[in-house]
Amino acid sequence: YAGRGNFAERTSMAVSQLDSCALLPFSAGQLTPMQAIEARHAVRSYIDEPLAPEAVEVLREAIARVNEEANLNIQLVLDEPRAFTGFKARLVNFTNVRNYLALVGPECKELDGILGYYGEQLMLLAQSLGLNSCWVGGTYKVVNRAYNVDLGQKLAAVIALGYGTTQGVPHRSKAPQAVVPGYDGAPEWFKRGVDAALLAPTALNQQKFSFSLDGEVGDVPVVRASTRRGAFAQMDLGIAQCHFEIGAGPALYRWAE
């Protein structure tokens, strides 16, 4: 999969995270990416109000940038209620979901992680624009003609969007030592990254990911991100890596291959 953009390049080159999420127009919103991480919680119930035209314009611009950068086919679906009318959606209390991101991309083993990474950036941008959201992996219905899935592509997940009836509540997180055995002695930038990753949404809130410092290459620290097997584990890891980069701030490091 040749079109993974900066996410793939970070496995082989050092990066300063000063410009995390610089691809997206966060200046159009009210929150920085880190503030959006802290403010965002899963919301499943929404009021019957269309997305503000200004928010739609910003999201469409951001989606176009992401699709170009990472060779994806993410789409914003508006005023489409059928995806969340099934039994599974009702079972987990989705109510009045009419807008969502359809996370579509080329079928490949890396796709879930890539969509997790870029989908989370878009979700945080939505939060900065005053919208609420929720990652949805298996409780939606596929709606023909609501979005395009071209030959060789697949729909991996969706992100519900809208104005919530509440702002959601924080989820319970693991202790940082549970995902990083050497957390207490780690550099401050690494701790900040781990702390931000622990605020990332994951399937069933399982937080199966872990991070470690894996030596240096040319005096540049190497960070290894890994996950145990499970449903949506690679997507969750991509989301967590997005959070880690934002939390680590202007640190110089590279991702392990």
Side-chain angles (χ1 to χ4, degrees):
Y1 181 53
R4 288 180 286 165
N6 289 343
F7 184 58
E9 293 168 8
R10 285 169 182 157
T11 65
S12 59
M13 61 186 293
V15 289
S16 168
Q17 296 307 327
L18 183 61
D19 293 326
S20 289
C21 290
L23 179 68
L24 303 188
F26 272 85
S27 60
Q30 299 176 336
L31 303 174
T32 66
M34 191 64 223
Q35 289 171 332
I37 284 176
E38 294 168 341
R40 198 214 72 83
H41 309 297
V43 171
R44 293 185 173 90
S45 178
Y46 297 86
I47 64 174
D48 188 13
E49 182 177 335
L51 303 191
E54 299 82 4
V56 171
E57 181 180 358
V58 173
L59 284 172
R60 283 179 168 158
E61 176 188 349
I63 291 166
R65 292 184 186 183
V66 164
N67 287 343
E68 175 68 22
E69 169 85 1
N71 190 30
L72 298 172
N73 190 19
I74 297 173
Q75 296 154 61
L76 176 62
V77 183
L78 300 174
D79 196 26
E80 196 296 287
R82 292 169 293 171
F84 288 85
T85 56
F87 171 75
K88 289 182 179 179
R90 294 194 300 271
L91 189 65
V92 293
N93 298 318
F94 277 109
T95 304
N96 209 27
V97 181
R98 305 180 66 88
N99 310 288
Y100 53 91
L101 296 175
L103 302 183
V104 178
E107 291 193 67
C108 63
K109 66 179 182 179
E110 303 99 334
L111 181 62
D112 279 2
I114 296 163
L115 285 172
Y117 179 82
Y118 286 104
E120 184 65 8
Q121 288 194 29
L122 292 169
M123 175 182 271
L124 295 174
L125 176 63
Q127 183 73 34
S128 79
L129 295 169
L131 302 178
N132 301 106
S133 57
C134 186
W135 276 92
V136 189
T139 53
Y140 61 91
K141 294 196 303 184
V142 174
V143 180
N144 293 328
R145 294 186 293 277
Y147 39 80
N148 297 318
V149 181
D150 296 333
L151 185 66
Q153 296 183 341
K154 77 169 186 176
L155 173 68
V158 305
I159 296 175
L161 295 174
Y163 300 101
T165 57
T166 73
Q167 293 299 306
V169 296
H171 65 256
R172 179 178 294 180
S173 294
K174 292 180 178 178
Q177 293 81 1
V179 298
V180 179
Y183 175 87
D184 292 331
E188 288 302 315
W189 63 266
F190 183 83
K191 289 182 179 179
R192 292 195 304 269
V194 172
D195 293 346
L198 286 169
L199 297 176
T202 58
L204 301 177
N205 198 30
Q206 293 186 78
Q207 297 184 317
K208 292 183 176 183
F209 55 80
S210 62
F211 293 90
S212 62
L213 286 167
D214 195 16
E216 296 182 350
V217 175
D219 295 327
V220 176
V222 176
V223 178
R224 182 173 299 279
S226 57
T227 183
R228 302 193 308 276
R229 292 183 179 182
F232 301 104
Q234 291 299 322
M235 189 171 292
D236 290 345
L237 184 61
I239 296 169
Q241 286 183 272
C242 171
H243 277 225
F244 184 99
E245 291 185 357
I246 293 168
L252 189 66
Y253 63 92
R254 69 174 69 200
W255 290 111
E257 295 187 32

